[in-house]
Amino acid sequence: MTDPKLQKALKECQKTVLTSLKALTTSSSFSSTSSSDIPPALGDVVGQLLAQLRQSITALGLSFNPPITVDAAIQQLGKISEYIGKLISCVLLACTPSTELLAEEWKGGLISVVEETNKHIQVLDGNGDYLSSTGIVWESIDNLLNDLSKDESSALKRRWKAHQSTVKDAWQEFKELLESTSDVDGRHDEDEDGEDGWDELDLGGEALSEEEKKRAEGAKPLLALHQILHSTIPKFLDQLNQNDYRRILQISTDFVNAYDNAVSSMHPEQDESEIEEALLEVEEVSRTMAGMIDDKSIDKWTERLDSEKKKWEERRLDLSSLKDAI
């Protein structure tokens, strides 16, 4: 690149981007002196600015299509600096005690956008693969823009949705584990050639023994109830006081970790005490979570949990007795 005006514009834009990134990464979550309310249309403004930024990133890429259209590129670089500056201002406005989750979402997403924009400018300045880097900036913008939260309640629900996805994956992992089978020697099923492909990759592939499978199947109703509760809670989040948002989100985080541990304990070479401890942990978190919601359906869930837990205890004792007898 030889045009001095364009090089200057790139450097100025990068300077603005780096200043913005510093402002985002060094700002506190919220200021105790901030107003407790944010402008009602602030979320819409953020969405519009992100859409405009995406358009300018696209136009900038087109202007670099040889031969480079210098004036158009300079114009878009100026717009990019402007939009990022305005987005920073919106994030700072959202940094209030009553909109912590919203500010965290916007801030985290915008940090990614600004970082990728900075890398993109470096690619442009170095005559690199600007088409590929344009796509990466698009992706970072879309990750924030799609289903963008515009208030504290929607920010809570968006975070919960991400947790739900993790729990769903763990539940699917557990169901697939139950579908695995083993032969009398405790080895997993193999294909017709006597190999299943896992050994080559050194990824294991062990299946549950019959005893382990019975134990896991006995725990299935409990794990099902726990994941059902977590997936149901979003319907009742609006009944919570906003001061409880942070607390129940932490409970959800604890639930995700406890549930993952419970599923992990069901894998081959099970440890009964580890399973029991993991199930008790997820039960404790679930009951705490259920205790924050006032609804008859949650009461019924608790009754069902008590019933299934009793059955689990009976199955566990039966398995232990059978093991001792053998």
Side-chain angles (χ1 to χ4, degrees):
M1 186 183 302
T2 58
D3 190 278
K5 291 192 300 181
L6 182 53
Q7 286 186 323
K8 180 181 178 182
L10 284 166
K11 296 298 183 185
E12 289 178 348
C13 184
Q14 187 175 33
K15 182 179 179 181
T16 299
V17 167
L18 290 174
T19 301
S20 300
L21 184 60
K22 183 178 180 180
L24 282 172
T25 55
T26 59
S27 63
S28 58
S29 297
F30 68 91
S31 170
S32 60
T33 59
S34 300
S35 169
S36 59
D37 298 317
I38 64 173
L42 189 60
D44 293 328
V45 172
V46 171
Q48 292 168 4
L49 287 171
L50 286 170
Q52 291 172 331
L53 176 61
R54 196 183 194 282
Q55 290 173 358
S56 284
I57 292 292
T58 302
L60 179 62
L62 292 173
S63 70
F64 267 76
N65 188 35
I68 298 175
T69 310
V70 175
D71 289 342
I74 292 174
Q75 181 185 40
Q76 296 307 323
L77 287 167
K79 288 184 177 181
I80 289 170
S81 296
E82 177 188 352
Y83 296 146
I84 288 180
K86 289 181 177 179
L87 282 165
I88 299 296
S89 298
C90 290
V91 170
L92 296 177
L93 281 174
C95 291
T96 74
S98 62
T99 51
E100 288 184 71
L101 300 181
L102 182 65
E104 286 176 5
E105 177 187 319
W106 290 358
K107 180 178 177 180
L110 191 54
I111 285 176
S112 176
V113 170
V114 174
E115 287 178 338
E116 296 304 336
T117 300
N118 179 52
K119 294 176 185 176
H120 181 51
I121 294 172
Q122 291 176 334
V123 169
L124 293 173
D125 194 23
N127 296 321
D129 184 1
Y130 68 90
L131 292 178
S132 177
S133 65
T134 295
I136 295 174
V137 180
W138 282 346
E139 183 178 1
S140 67
I141 294 173
D142 291 343
N143 286 339
L144 177 56
L145 184 56
N146 294 340
D147 200 25
L148 177 73
S149 300
K150 297 181 180 180
D151 55 39
E152 192 73 350
S153 176
S154 58
L156 171 62
K157 291 174 182 177
R158 185 177 186 182
R159 293 273 285 275
W160 201 282
K161 185 177 180 180
H163 287 179
Q164 276 184 270
S165 178
T166 304
V167 173
K168 183 179 179 181
D169 288 344
W171 173 243
Q172 184 62 34
E173 174 189 332
F174 175 72
K175 290 193 296 181
E176 290 173 358
L177 183 64
L178 286 180
E179 292 172 359
S180 64
T181 58
S182 59
D183 60 24
V184 294
D185 295 322
R187 295 175 299 178
H188 54 280
D189 286 342
E190 298 176 342
D191 61 24
E192 294 178 358
D193 297 324
E195 297 179 357
D196 65 356
W198 290 108
D199 292 336
E200 270 185 38
L201 298 174
D202 193 26
L203 294 177
E206 298 87 351
L208 297 174
S209 67
E210 286 304 312
E211 179 184 339
E212 290 175 331
K213 190 169 185 178
K214 287 180 180 178
R215 187 178 295 114
E217 287 175 338
K220 183 177 180 180
L222 291 174
L223 290 174
L225 278 171
H226 290 308
Q227 69 94 14
I228 287 172
L229 173 69
H230 188 269
S231 66
T232 302
I233 291 295
K235 295 195 300 185
F236 307 107
L237 290 176
D238 289 338
Q239 72 175 239
L240 294 178
N241 186 299
Q242 193 162 305
N243 293 331
D244 290 326
Y245 284 3
R246 177 68 69 180
R247 181 188 172 205
I248 199 166
L249 183 60
Q250 182 58 54
I251 293 173
S252 178
T253 301
D254 294 340
F255 177 88
V256 171
N257 294 331
Y259 196 85
D260 186 64
N261 289 337
V263 170
S264 295
S265 71
M266 298 294 169
H267 279 263
E269 299 185 8
Q270 294 173 354
D271 183 309
E272 291 183 60
S273 62
E274 180 183 333
I275 290 176
E276 189 64 20
E277 182 180 349
L279 289 176
L280 286 174
E281 181 184 7
V282 73
E283 177 189 347
E284 180 180 353
V285 179
S286 287
R287 290 187 184 277
T288 302
M289 183 162 49
M292 295 190 69
I293 304 299
D294 183 17
D295 190 86
K296 289 183 179 180
S297 63
I298 300 299
D299 295 337
K300 290 181 179 179
W301 175 88
T302 302
E303 292 174 3
R304 180 69 182 275
L305 178 64
D306 291 337
S307 174
E308 292 298 338
K309 184 181 179 182
K310 184 178 180 180
K311 293 177 183 178
W312 159 254
E313 292 292 345
E314 292 171 350
R315 292 190 192 100
R316 190 167 63 87
L317 290 174
D318 288 343
L319 281 173
S320 296
S321 298
L322 179 60
K323 185 177 180 181
D324 291 340
I326 295 174

